[in-house]
Amino acid sequence: MTSAILLTGGTGTLGRLVAPRLLASGATLRILSRQPQPAGGAPGEGVEYVTGDLTTGEGAAAAVAGADVIVHCAGTSKGDDVKTRHLVDAAAAAGNAHLVYISVVGADRTPVVSGLDRAMFGYVAAKRASEEIVAGSGLPWTTLRATQFHELTLTTARALARMPVLPAPSGFRIQPIAAVEVAGRLAELALAEPAGLVAEMGGPRTYDMKDLLRGYLKATGRRRPVMPMRIPGEAAAAFRAGANLTPGHAVGQQTWEEFLAATAVG
């Protein structure tokens, strides 16, 4: 039987890669977007776009109606837990859809307790809260945790490279992974039976933050000093201890260097 799938964040970094994989399975696909989208537009024919805002919950009930599977990729730097709560409340009221959620490695190992922690690591705390909302929803669910995407790491590096000196959090290591690899796994999980919390996904290599930034500078032909900067707080201490890494699940194939070589990184 053909599944009806709702995808949130379908025009974002991850969602736009998940969408064509779901379509290729023969599923009917509905994409929730805050902005109206053209009928028949990307990622392909047979996509229905619905307009709604998970920040307020507006349009959520209409979006989830009739969905067999809900793949929740919508995410921003703030308020992910609020968005997840609105989506889950609407989904629970509508039926018994399989809820598939993408989270981050270390969400369960990063204490976010102080104001400074919340200012710098609030995103991680919101992801953890979202995990709990999903698990406690009463719906069948699957959650996948992944490390930082190459694409988002590149966005960070570009922003820092605008400064005359690039600050690099001392002791921080990153295990970046290609978003397309995570998209393939997420689509696979969406088309399978609910599995709860599944094995994490991490990139093939771990980098000290300063070395990762120097790799970006080299790839773009820029010269900037990179200065280590110690960040206080319990969450930062957890990152220095490797809370955001998953060396036992280094399943990604594309390295940071390979990504830079294949991408317009300027």
Side-chain angles (χ1 to χ4, degrees):
M1 184 175 69
T2 301
S3 294
I5 301 178
L6 169 68
L7 173 63
T8 75
T11 58
T13 299
L14 181 62
R16 63 182 175 80
L17 299 171
V18 173
R21 288 161 174 77
L22 297 176
L23 282 172
S25 74
T28 60
L29 183 61
R30 181 183 301 161
I31 293 179
L32 175 63
S33 174
R34 285 183 300 172
Q35 301 297 327
Q37 301 290 323
E45 295 182 1
V47 179
E48 176 192 0
Y49 289 96
V50 292
T51 304
D53 187 352
L54 292 179
T55 302
T56 63
E58 182 182 0
V64 302
D68 301 307
V69 179
I70 299 170
V71 183
H72 185 28
C73 292
T76 53
S77 59
K78 294 182 180 180
D80 271 8
D81 51 336
V82 174
K83 297 178 181 68
T84 301
R85 170 59 67 192
H86 286 146
L87 179 67
V88 164
D89 286 350
N96 200 42
H98 174 197
L99 185 58
V100 183
Y101 181 60
I102 180 69
S103 188
V104 295
V105 167
D108 59 331
R109 300 190 294 269
T110 306
V112 180
V113 292
S114 69
L116 179 62
D117 288 339
R118 287 189 291 274
M120 298 197 66
F121 298 90
Y123 173 76
V124 179
K127 283 293 187 183
R128 178 56 179 163
S130 292
E131 289 184 1
E132 294 172 347
I133 291 167
V134 169
S137 66
L139 297 167
W141 61 278
T142 302
T143 291
L144 170 66
R145 292 174 179 152
T147 54
Q148 179 87 329
F149 300 153
H150 289 316
E151 291 83 350
L152 301 182
T153 304
L154 175 60
T155 297
T156 299
R158 280 174 171 158
L160 292 176
R162 297 191 185 104
M163 304 179 186
V165 177
L166 279 66
S170 59
F172 278 31
R173 290 165 292 153
I174 296 182
Q175 189 181 348
I177 189 169
V180 68
E181 295 175 358
V182 178
R185 177 61 173 150
L186 200 65
E188 180 182 81
L189 292 168
L191 299 170
E193 294 297 315
L197 184 63
V198 300
E200 298 175 340
M201 291 187 73
R205 290 184 57 187
T206 297
Y207 301 83
D208 189 284
M209 189 64 182
K210 64 179 183 298
D211 295 331
L212 185 145
L213 292 173
R214 286 169 179 157
Y216 169 77
L217 292 171
K218 181 179 179 180
T220 57
R222 301 181 188 183
R223 292 182 179 273
R224 298 278 196 287
V226 177
M227 180 175 294
M229 178 182 64
R230 188 170 182 82
I231 299 177
E234 292 187 37
F239 265 50
R240 285 192 293 272
N244 59 316
L245 307 177
T246 184
H249 297 95
V251 296
Q253 298 296 310
Q254 188 184 49
T255 66
W256 174 240
E257 293 84 0
E258 290 168 343
F259 170 77
L260 291 175
T263 307
V265 296

